[in-house]
């Protein structure tokens, strides 16, 4: 699932957050997510360590925050 602030709901291990977070400030990294429109939700589930997507592409729209 992806919330309205482009945070993703994962398995809780924080693997991608740690990998992409370690690259922060070292490059002009843009984090993009692919999903289906039904996965978008208004429920906010962001945790302190979470990184958000810069853009999410679904079969119906492109979302930027």
């Amino acid at each position: 699932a992806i919330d309205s602030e482009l945070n993703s709901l994962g398995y809780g291990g924080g693997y991608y957050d740690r990998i992409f977070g370690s690259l922060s400030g070292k490059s002009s990294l843009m984090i993009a997510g692919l999903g289906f429109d039904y996965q978008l939700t208004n429920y906010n589930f962001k945790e302190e360590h979470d990184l958000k997507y810069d853009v999410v592409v679904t079969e119906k729209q492109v979302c930027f925050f």
Side-chain angles (χ1 to χ4, degrees), residues 2-3 5-8 31-37 39-40 52-65:
I2 302 159
D3 71 16
E5 294 184 5
L6 302 186
N7 297 297
S8 66
I31 302 174
L34 298 174
F36 294 101
D37 223 48
Q39 293 174 299
L40 301 175
K52 69 177 189 66
Y53 291 119
D54 295 303
V55 61
V56 172
V57 179
T58 73
E59 79 278 12
K60 295 181 180 178
Q61 60 185 310
V62 177
C63 306
F64 296 92
F65 182 74

Side-chain angles (χ1 to χ4, degrees), residues 21-35:
S22 71
L23 300 174
S24 158
K26 297 179 183 174
S27 68
S28 56
L29 179 69
M30 177 184 247
I31 302 174
L34 298 174

